[in-house]
């Protein structure tokens, strides 16, 4: 079978590897759709820790073709991948903060994932796809689960103003979740095509810049949700929050990157900075929100490629207007 292997920083190749055999707790999934994530590009550039050689692709769905006796999986069933395998016994896991597990093993970072014809994953946390869901929609379970954690942290209540920074896939999922929470939503991105998608998905307002956003909402937003993961928006985010507001950090800056905020301003206006990391127990809700139509994923798929094209696509910066590229093995 073919797999997209990260061999080291800057070295990504399509290789022929053996089809995996399941251990007692594992399932082997024939991958039907795998999304390319910004994290894959961070891994390629060495900006996010991983342990190569490793097959990339932590956002995928497919059909179980082999199941270990204790896996709980059923051959023929469609599942998504929950890429984070927490240990269950460290102090954070014992407090229920499994996304902070200090022994977490992430599929696609520390062990092989789904940018391949087949993937070996633990059967236990692999969430089954609801009846009739396409594998492509199922591949959004992971990014939506992460975004959902961010919205849980934001604690929006109906009638509040939510400003989403960044029009990539996380930003456009956040727009839909904030709308579903009853907030009035503004998306800020310089890309006109992404503003149009956001308006179609429930954003009442869009802005091309932070300055334009503040002209539209001079008092700022109750919740600013940073989904761009770039220094400029991360730096500006607190200034876009209302007095007593909060900034939710979902965007991933490269490890080691720094931004400057003014603690005096954060203190006097009581603006909270709230990071939201990965997906603690949010995958099933994410799949439910896709299944019941609250969150649309089809408008977010802008490109479909083969495994052959994947190394070059991951190595290159995303083209303007690109939202989600799906690998269809
Ligand atoms: Zn991802
Ligand atoms: Zn743990």
């Amino acid at each position: 079978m073919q797999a997209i292997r990260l061999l080291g920083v800057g070295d990504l190749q399509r290789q022929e590897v053996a089809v995996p055999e399941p251990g007692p707790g594992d399932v082997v999934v024939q991958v039907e759709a795998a999304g390319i994530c910004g994290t894959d590009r961070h891994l390629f550039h060495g900006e996010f820790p991983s342990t190569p050689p490793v097959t990339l692709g932590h956002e995928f769905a497919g059909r179980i073709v082999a199941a270990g006796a204790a896996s709980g999986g059923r051959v023929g069933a469609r599942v998504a991948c929950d890429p984070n395998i927490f240990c269950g016994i460290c102090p954070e896991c014992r407090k229920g903060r499994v996304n902070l597990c200090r022994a977490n093993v992430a599929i696609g970072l520390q062990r092989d994932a789904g940018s391949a014809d087949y993937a070996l994953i633990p059967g236990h946390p692999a969430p089954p796809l609801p009846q009739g869901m396409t594998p492509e929609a199922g591949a959004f379970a992971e990014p939506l689960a992460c975004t959902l954690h961010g919205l849980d942290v934001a604690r929006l209540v109906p009638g509040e103003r939510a400003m989403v920074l960044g029009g990539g896939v996380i930003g456009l999922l956040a727009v839909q979740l904030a709308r579903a929470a009853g907030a009035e939503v503004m998306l800020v991105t310089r890309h006109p095509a992404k503003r149009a998608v956001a308006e179609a998905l429930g954003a009442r307002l869009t802005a091309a810049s932070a300055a334009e956003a503040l002209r539209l909402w001079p008092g700022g937003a109750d919740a600013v949700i940073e989904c761009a993961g770039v220094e400029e928006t991360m730096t500006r985010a607190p200034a876009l929050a209302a007095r007593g507001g909060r900034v939710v950090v979902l965007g991933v800056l490269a490890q080691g990157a720094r931004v400057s905020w003014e603690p005096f301003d954060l203190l006097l206006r009581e603006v909270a900075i709230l990071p939201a990391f990965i997906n603690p127990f949010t995958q099933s809700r994410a799949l439910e929100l896709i299944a019941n139509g609250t969150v649309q994923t089809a408008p977010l798929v802008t490109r479909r490629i083969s495994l052959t094209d994947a190394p070059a696509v991951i190595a290159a910066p995303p083209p303007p207007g690109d939202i989600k590229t799906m690998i269809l093995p």
Side-chain angles (χ1 to χ4, degrees), residues 35-40 57-59 83 109 139 142-143 146 169-170 278 324:
I36 293 177
C37 173
T39 301
D40 295 324
H58 56 275
E59 305 176 1
L109 282 74
E142 196 273 341
C146 295
V169 68
I170 300 296
I278 60 176
K324 179 60 78 184

Side-chain angles (χ1 to χ4, degrees), residues 110-134:
Q110 282 93 36
R111 55 176 273 174
D112 294 343
S115 291
D117 291 311
Y118 296 91
L120 175 82
I121 59 175
H124 163 59
L129 296 198
Q131 190 70 33
M133 182 177 288
T134 65

Side-chain angles (χ1 to χ4, degrees), residues 86-93 101-104:
F86 58 87
C87 77
I89 55 173
C90 75
E92 287 70 31
C93 281
C101 172
R102 52 185 79 183
N104 188 58

Side-chain angles (χ1 to χ4, degrees), residues 6 10 13 22 31 33 40 57 100 103 110 137 176 202 267 271 289 299 311 325:
L6 182 70
Q13 293 182 21
V31 180
D40 295 324
L100 306 181
Q110 282 93 36
Q176 299 182 70
L267 177 67
V271 170
L289 287 164
T325 297

